[in-house]
Structures are given as structure tokens and as C-alpha cells.
Amino acid sequence: MNDITGLTLIETLKALEEKKFSSEELNKAYLERIEKINPRLNIFLEIKKNPQNMPAAIKDIICTQNIRTTAGSKILSNFVPPYSATVIDRLKEKGIGIIGKTNLDEFAMGSSGENSAYGPTKNPWNETKVPGGSSSGSAAAVAADLCTFALGTDTGGSIRQPASLCGVVGLKPSYGRVPRYGAIAMASSLDQIGPITKSVADARLVLEWISGPDGKDSNCVDPASCKVTPCAARGCLAGVRVGVPREYFGKGLDKGVEKVIREAIKKLEELGAEIVEVSLPHTEYAVAAYYIIMSSEVSSNMAKFDGIRFGSGREDFGPEVKRRIMLGTFALSTGYYDDYFAKAAEVRTLIKQDFEKAFEKCEVIVGPVSPTVAWNLGEKIEDPLTMYLSDVYTIPASLAGIPGLSVPCGFSDGLPVGLQILGKYLDEETILNIGEIYEQSTDWHNKKPDLGKEA
Ligand code: GLN
């Protein structure tokens, strides 16, 4: 492990303060590593040198002033935004700079990174595997130590799932916690920006930096305070009720993943938590409802890419984007609206109520992030339905607007597994605290992929 690039964000901030190294040395260490590793893994679409700043990697769907932002699409191959997203401005105020823009599934539509117009990113743990998606490059950049932390976006799982498949921490904040202004919209009622980090404490810090009301996003809520305080009592979960939804352990869940998740739950119990069984009965309808709602919003959001104001013409959309535009346009058309969109919206309410009911019995809900570990590149790309089903455990929380954290919790077949911790609306604090207590009592977060001698 490289001494500098192996550090977490908080460790790096401390080392800089103690003058163990300078920001120039910090950036040099990361850039040298990127030069060696990036050609193999195809993580960055753009690399920047800004030696004064803390090097962060930004998903290339988040607008960065004067830095090309492609959304992983050929359509925007020449798009250089004249402004930055609110989150980028907020990071800048904290002295954070952009070391690179990361690869992603086109317009964040996908679960494997393979829908990028710029070629797939490879999983740092095994270069024949997908890193997950759609924040494929951001998760891989953190796993391969090519940045101090990254930003991703999550509409149906795109922060949590790649974080899980790459063995790093990923937080999808509650809907409305982080301003979306400047993130190119996929499905506006679901999209959230969030951190992908090397530790839970880092995710808490980044969330604090980027969250809070913004005049440019009217959905952005104003919780009394956006501070997420770390809990005082370290290492003890006494009095915490952890809900385990029986629907998240059904068929389709890989046996190896299930074993790792069950062990993690046992660990929470050893730490003092009370484990309670809960039920989320409408889980089985979540993927279907999501594909109607999300595609409907996609079809509307993609209409602006008509070749007149932004980028090139519609023939440059990739197949997955076209598929969703067609699906969404159909679902919204006269005569079908009530059968599809209105019905899906009702299912969404039922899913939200499932969570509200379950949270009467517990403070957090835990389960797998993904039913499997990382799969082979090319394995599911011809089969969209199988690909869609890989988001079965992340989509419900997206529809309900509640926060979700992925924390490394072990390995199956030599590949990382993430534990998903879901919380009540706007209660990031509790999931981060429980995630951190779990993390600090296990060693999983210290495991790094072997990237060979040249790393
Ligand atoms: N994989 C899901 C999809 O393809 C989620 C994507 C996302 O969260 N951006 O829609």
C-alpha cells in the first residue's frame, strides 16, 4: 500500500495539518498512481492537476465549470459546463479540488458500468469483473486509492451497489438532503448525490460538507441542522433495534453473500444490538414500479438532448437510454397513464408505508446491498431484465426517499460484499453511527485490492 494514497480523507486532513507532507506531494502521489493504474481500469474520463487542493474524484454526471462533463454519453462528448453543481462549490469552499471526472453508465442508467460510451471500468479486485454501476468509476477510484474520496449519484442504487461490489463505503442520503443543482438529471424524484469513501467517518464528513438547503433545488429540505454528530458511546449498540426484513433473504440471494450478511448481523448482535425480524411486503413490486416511474422521468429529462441546445443528435444515445425513453414515453401516453404511471405511483406509496411500519419496530434495517458479488464483464449486458433485478434491494429505499449506507462486511469468492444499513427519513446520523461502530469492530475496511507490483 502506498503510504499517502492509502490514507482515508480524515487521516489525510490530519497529516496535512501536521505537515507530514504537503498538498503538492499529496497530489503528486495520487497522479503518479493514476498514471499507472488508470489505463488498466478505465476509471477516469478526465484527469486534472490542481496541486493546492485535496484530490477528490467526481462522477462525470456532476457539472464542473470549465471541465468537460459527459454523463458517460457520446451526446455530451464536447459539453463544458459554464457553471458548477452546488456540491462542487461547497467542496471548493472546503479546499477540495477535482483530480478527475469518473466513468459511469450513460446518464447513470445501468448497474455495471458497461453502458458508458467510453468503455467499461474494471473492478480493482478482479479486472475481469464489473465494478457495479452506475457510479462505476467513482467506486473503483476509491477502491484503487486513486482519490481521497469520490462523489456519486444514486437513483436506484448507483452509489450503494458499486460501493458494495468494490468494497468501499457508499452513502445515499435521504431524498432532498443534498442539492441536486448541477447534477444532470436522470429521474428527478429519485436522484441524490452522495459520498463514496474509504471509511464511514469520511462519508459523514463529506455529507456534512455537501448537504443543506439550496435556493437552486426546491426539493432540498431544511432539517433543523445538517450536522451529523458521531455517537459518543463507541463500540456499543446496546438499546439499538436492528430490523432484518425477511423479503431481503429470499430466492435470488446468492448463498455466499447470504452467509457473509448473516455473519455481519451476528456481529451487530454481539455488539449489543437487538435483532428483530421485520417485513417489507411490497418489496417484490419495487423493481417494476421503479422502471415505470424512473423511465417516465427519464423520457422527460432526456427530451432536452435534441441536438439544438446541448451536444449532438439523438442518434448518439446508447441502446439502454433509448430503451428507457421508449418505455417511459409509452407509460405516460394517453390511455396507458392510469394503468402504468398512476399504478406505479400507488405502489411507491405502499413501499414507503412498508418502511414506516417497519421502523416502528427498529431504528435501522439491515440486509444485503446486492444479491451477488461482482459478475463477469459482458455477462449480463445482453439481458436487461437480469441486470435490472440486481437492484432489487436498493430500489425500495430509493422509492421511499430514505437514506442507505453500504459498508464493507466481508468477501465471497474473493470479492467484496457490502452490508446495507437503511434509516428513517433524514436520519443519516443513526445509520452512520451504527455503520461506524460495525466498521471499527471489524477489519474489512482495511482490506485493499492487490493491484500488482506496479501499484
Ligand atoms: N441500476 C439502476 C438503474 O439502472 C440504478 C441507477 C442509478 O441509481 N443511477 O436504473
Side-chain angles (χ1 to χ4, degrees), residues 208-227:
E208 219 183 290
W209 285 344
I210 62 176
S211 62
D214 174 25
K216 298 192 188 106
D217 178 357
S218 58
N219 284 121
C220 207
V221 292
D222 187 2
S225 151
C226 276
K227 273 219 163 318

Side-chain angles (χ1 to χ4, degrees), residues 10 199-202 204 229-231 234-235 237 271 405 407 421 429-442 445:
I10 289 177
S199 75
V200 177
D202 282 2
R204 180 191 290 115
T229 7
C231 69
R234 282 293 151 89
L237 291 178
L271 289 165
L405 181 71
V407 188
I421 310 180
E429 188 163 315
T430 303
I431 58 173
L432 287 164
N433 285 337
I434 292 174
E436 190 175 15
I437 290 171
Y438 173 80
E439 174 194 77
Q440 293 307 312
S441 60
T442 61
H445 61 292

Side-chain angles (χ1 to χ4, degrees), residues 82-202:
Y83 65 97
S84 282
T86 300
V87 291
I88 299 297
D89 289 338
R90 289 185 180 173
L91 289 181
K92 201 170 158 198
E93 277 167 30
K94 300 285 172 188
I96 311 300
I98 298 160
I99 198 160
K101 300 294 298 284
T102 56
N103 205 351
L104 69 154
D105 287 293
E106 184 174 6
F107 288 106
M109 299 177 206
S111 308
S112 69
E114 295 164 297
N115 293 336
S116 168
Y118 304 97
T121 295
K122 293 169 184 163
N123 191 315
W125 290 89
N126 179 332
E127 291 170 37
T128 67
K129 307 282 178 187
V130 301
S134 65
S135 309
S136 44
S138 286
V142 175
D145 283 333
L146 304 188
C147 59
T148 49
F149 74 93
L151 289 186
T153 60
D154 191 312
T155 301
S158 281
I159 288 175
R160 291 162 285 161
Q161 186 257 19
S164 172
L165 270 44
C166 288
V168 294
V169 174
L171 172 70
K172 180 200 91 78
S174 305
Y175 182 76
R177 182 128 206 174
V178 176
R180 290 169 298 124
Y181 178 74
I184 298 171
M186 173 185 165
S188 312
S189 78
L190 296 153
D191 298 341
Q192 266 297 286
I193 300 171
I196 299 179
T197 56
K198 302 182 194 184
S199 75
V200 177
D202 282 2

